Amino acid sequence: MEKNVKTVMTDAASFALAEAYLQSHDLMLPAGEYTVFPGFCDVHVHFREPGFSYKGTVRSGSRAAARGGYTAVCTMPNLSPVPDSAENMQRQLDIISRDAAIAAYPYAAITVGELGEQLSDMENLAAKCIAFSDDGRGVQEEEMMERAMRKAKSLGKMIVAHCEVNDLLHGGYIHDGAYARAHGHRGICSESEWRQVERDLRLAADTGCKYHVCHISTKESVALIREAKSAGVDVTCETAPHYLTLDDGCLQEDGRFKMNPPLRSAADREALLEGVLDGTVDMIATDHAPHSVQEKAQGLEKSPFGIVGLETALPVLYTRLVKSGVLSMQRLLELLVYAPRRRFGIPEDRSFSLWRLDEAFTVQPDAFLSLGRATPYAGERLLGVNYLTVLNGKAVYER
């Protein structure tokens, strides 16, 4: 290892791997202090293949993940064909086997075509998927979700839910708050999320199913999940970096600020932070959702929902929350590494990433490895540059 390179430990096992790797490889690293992180795990990403490779691919998404320090991800099922049968799932698995730079664990759909009308072939999918989700759509019928939970429980699988009541959307596309009213936009009410969270928590209690809530964004969702946990419901949840660091007061007339659920109020953001600190929120996932540049150039109203986040997650969280003293480094590791792997049964891998946390950079989407470039952090000055990600002895990203 070069004499002018100092490594700082956050996790003993990954630190030992990094020390051994640096001693056995001739790397030209700039002098300075490097923080060693274990490989991050993101349980909510969209890699867009098969079906939408113009937005992103397994190759581009997994390379973006590796650049962000991630060595394991769970890929969402809103694809074409939807992985609602073993045959359809195999198409995705073949692409992952061929092109993924890191470990990728796919979800199977809860319902056929994610249409909410008929259960997918859950029995034959169980061995091929990490869990079941109709991400991008909430399962609207209570009876269908109850059937899915009972079936998932019998198979030893988890239900992972995008919670959204369609009847409460009313054509909205940003949070139903001050910005929407001031600028004449149609809003999405908070109840469209928390009302379905409330229903599903009751069903999870009744069925005993392992249940995980995707990308929570409202203070009511935090309160409901906190209460359910105290009552012994087998529930976990995630939120995303943007919900912890931005709110609807940060909105601009640009598609890079449009995601689902939307950026909520400052009070919602504060409640999410409280949930992160008290353990109600178990993990942080990016909901990395690439679209083409042309699609996201259509403004708040007409562009599709979704932003990218794998390449900026650690710098955003470190700069905004750890460096400012809101979040400890140990809690951040729990949210990004240990809790997601533990809950989803994803094995610890022999991985690490090597970061210069004192190095500042400006977010430049054109330099992303992701094919999607829409990020609300474009142009921002952040701390934290990754120089190396290694998985099972192989460099999967080098700066």
Side-chain angles (χ1 to χ4, degrees):
M1 185 170 37
E2 295 167 56
K3 295 179 181 178
N4 293 328
V5 170
K6 178 186 178 184
T7 49
V8 177
M9 180 172 66
T10 59
D11 169 272
S14 57
F15 184 77
L17 288 173
E19 291 280 271
Y21 187 92
L22 292 174
Q23 288 171 5
S24 62
H25 289 74
D26 187 19
L27 298 178
M28 298 300 294
L29 293 171
E33 183 175 282
Y34 293 79
T35 300
V36 179
F37 288 104
F40 305 142
C41 177
D42 191 335
V43 301
H44 193 140
V45 303
H46 300 264
F47 280 177
R48 303 303 193 199
E49 273 191 307
F52 305 97
S53 56
Y54 73 94
K55 297 174 183 280
T57 64
V58 168
R59 183 175 186 273
S60 65
S62 63
R63 290 176 68 232
R67 186 184 194 181
Y70 290 88
T71 55
V73 295
C74 301
T75 58
M76 284 299 178
N78 44 351
L79 303 167
S80 182
V82 172
D84 52 15
S85 68
E87 180 183 7
N88 287 352
M89 173 62 83
Q90 194 59 49
R91 288 186 59 178
Q92 185 183 175
L93 289 169
D94 290 344
I95 297 170
I96 288 170
S97 177
R98 184 189 71 207
D99 292 345
I102 60 169
Y105 301 88
Y107 287 94
I110 295 172
T111 65
V112 174
E114 292 195 316
L115 298 176
E117 298 171 356
Q118 177 185 346
L119 288 183
S120 67
D121 186 8
M122 295 175 75
E123 198 144 327
N124 288 316
L125 283 162
K128 295 176 178 288
C129 70
I130 191 69
F132 291 97
S133 179
D134 269 7
D135 185 62
R137 308 182 187 201
V139 175
Q140 299 303 302
E141 298 301 324
E142 180 170 331
E143 184 266 344
M144 181 62 66
M145 183 56 103
E146 181 178 358
R147 285 177 56 204
M149 286 188 175
R150 293 193 185 282
K151 188 65 173 178
K153 179 176 171 57
S154 75
L155 296 169
K157 287 292 183 177
M158 184 157 54
I159 290 290
V160 177
H162 172 117
C163 288
E164 190 169 48
V165 179
N166 289 350
D167 288 345
L168 296 175
L169 297 178
H170 305 301
Y173 45 87
I174 63 171
H175 176 58
D176 186 17
Y179 187 94
R181 291 189 290 273
H183 295 82
H185 291 296
R186 292 189 299 279
I188 300 175
C189 67
S190 295
E191 187 179 0
S192 65
E193 174 181 301
W194 67 257
R195 184 64 71 187
Q196 201 165 92
V197 172
E198 183 179 55
R199 180 203 72 182
D200 284 0
L201 290 170
R202 173 169 47 80
L203 293 176
D206 290 345
T207 62
C209 177
K210 289 173 65 176
Y211 176 64
H212 178 82
V213 193
C214 293
H215 48 45
I216 66 168
S217 68
T218 72
K219 58 185 184 293
E220 293 89 353
S221 295
V222 176
L224 286 164
I225 293 165
R226 182 182 287 120
E227 182 181 357
K229 285 187 170 188
S230 68
V233 178
D234 191 355
V235 58
T236 52
C237 68
E238 70 196 46
T239 194
H242 41 281
Y243 302 123
L244 295 172
T245 59
L246 302 170
D247 54 53
D248 70 341
C250 305
L251 287 173
Q252 297 177 25
E253 294 295 307
D254 193 311
R256 65 191 177 93
F257 289 88
K258 184 178 180 180
M259 69 289 292
N260 190 24
L263 296 176
R264 301 287 187 184
S265 70
D268 291 304
R269 181 175 55 80
E270 289 298 327
L272 289 165
L273 283 169
E274 289 175 16
V276 163
L277 294 173
D278 72 13
T280 302
V281 177
D282 301 270
M283 60 197 78
I284 295 175
T286 65
D287 193 7
H288 177 88
H291 295 285
S292 71
V293 173
Q294 293 79 8
E295 286 174 317
K296 290 299 284 183
Q298 300 178 74
L300 285 177
E301 181 178 0
K302 295 183 179 180
S303 67
F305 292 111
I307 61 171
V308 297
L310 285 166
E311 293 171 76
T312 56
L314 191 280
V316 165
L317 294 167
Y318 176 74
T319 304
R320 297 286 194 91
L321 301 182
V322 177
K323 189 72 173 174
S324 64
V326 174
L327 199 63
S328 72
M329 186 67 83
Q330 200 55 42
R331 181 63 183 147
L332 184 64
L333 287 177
E334 174 69 9
L335 294 159
L336 291 181
V337 180
Y338 309 125
R341 290 181 184 272
R342 188 167 61 242
R343 177 60 165 172
F344 282 74
I346 296 171
E348 297 285 337
D349 50 33
R350 298 178 63 255
S351 66
F352 68 89
S353 56
L354 205 61
W355 293 76
R356 284 278 300 269
L357 292 179
D358 60 350
E359 184 173 337
F361 73 101
T362 300
V363 178
Q364 297 177 308
D366 286 348
F368 285 169
L369 297 180
S370 168
L371 297 186
R373 305 293 166 84
T375 170
Y377 302 104
E380 290 210 19
R381 197 81 172 148
L382 299 173
L383 290 168
V385 174
N386 185 19
Y387 275 77
L388 178 69
T389 304
V390 171
L391 172 60
N392 294 328
K394 177 185 175 184
V396 290
Y397 170 76
E398 291 183 77
R399 187 166 187 263

